[in-house]
């Protein structure tokens, strides 16, 4: 909160608070900062598709901080995207088992013989 007070001279307004918590790339507690850090890690690991997802989320945060009309629904949608990204990263880098796949009809017939 000290950062907010220093930047906005004690004036409490939702717009600057949203900007600081969502889209401030210099604030380590901001979602945009975290998305940027995640994107950098994923790029170093060669996970460019997931890095792109993180970059798109970062842009959505910047757009959201400027608006704020449908904040609750938008944040819920973004939370779902972050959960999906988290699951993909977990499967890609932390799961020892290969991804499961379904057997095709031909494979089922071969296994039955």
């Amino acid at each position: 909160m000290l950062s907010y007070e220093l930047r906005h001279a004690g004036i409490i307004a939702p717009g600057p608070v949203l900007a600081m918590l969502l889209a401030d790339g210099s604030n380590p507690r901001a979602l945009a900062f975290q998305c940027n850090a995640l994107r950098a890690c994923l790029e170093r690991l060669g996970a460019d598709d997931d890095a792109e997802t993180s970059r798109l989320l970062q842009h959505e945060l910047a757009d959201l901080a400027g608006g704020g009309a449908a904040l609750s629904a938008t944040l819920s949608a973004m939370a779902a995207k972050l959960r999906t990204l988290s699951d993909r990263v977990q499967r890609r880098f932390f799961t020892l088992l290969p991804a499961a796949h379904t057997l095709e009809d031909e494979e089922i017939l071969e296994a039955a013989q």
Side-chain angles (χ1 to χ4, degrees), residues 33-113:
F33 182 95
Q34 296 298 319
C35 282
N36 189 39
L38 176 62
R39 187 186 82 232
C41 288
L42 290 169
E43 286 173 350
R44 283 195 305 272
L45 292 169
D48 294 330
D49 54 339
D50 291 331
E52 178 64 13
T53 300
S54 185
R55 186 189 69 76
L56 292 172
L57 283 169
Q58 191 175 2
H59 284 291
E60 286 182 45
L61 286 167
D63 293 341
L64 183 62
L71 186 60
S72 179
T74 305
L75 285 176
S76 294
M78 292 187 77
K81 290 177 185 178
L82 282 169
R83 279 190 298 277
T84 300
L85 178 59
S86 173
D87 290 344
R88 286 195 340 230
V89 168
Q90 187 263 336
R91 279 193 306 274
R92 177 179 271 177
F93 296 106
F94 299 107
T95 301
L96 299 176
L97 299 174
H101 71 280
T102 58
L103 294 176
E104 299 294 326
D105 290 337
E106 294 171 7
E107 292 176 304
I108 294 170
L109 289 176
E110 286 176 15
Q113 294 175 358

Side-chain angles (χ1 to χ4, degrees), residues 5-23:
E5 290 176 7
L6 290 174
R7 290 183 188 180
H8 303 287
I11 300 168
I12 297 176
V17 172
L18 287 174
M20 186 178 77
L21 295 176
L22 296 176

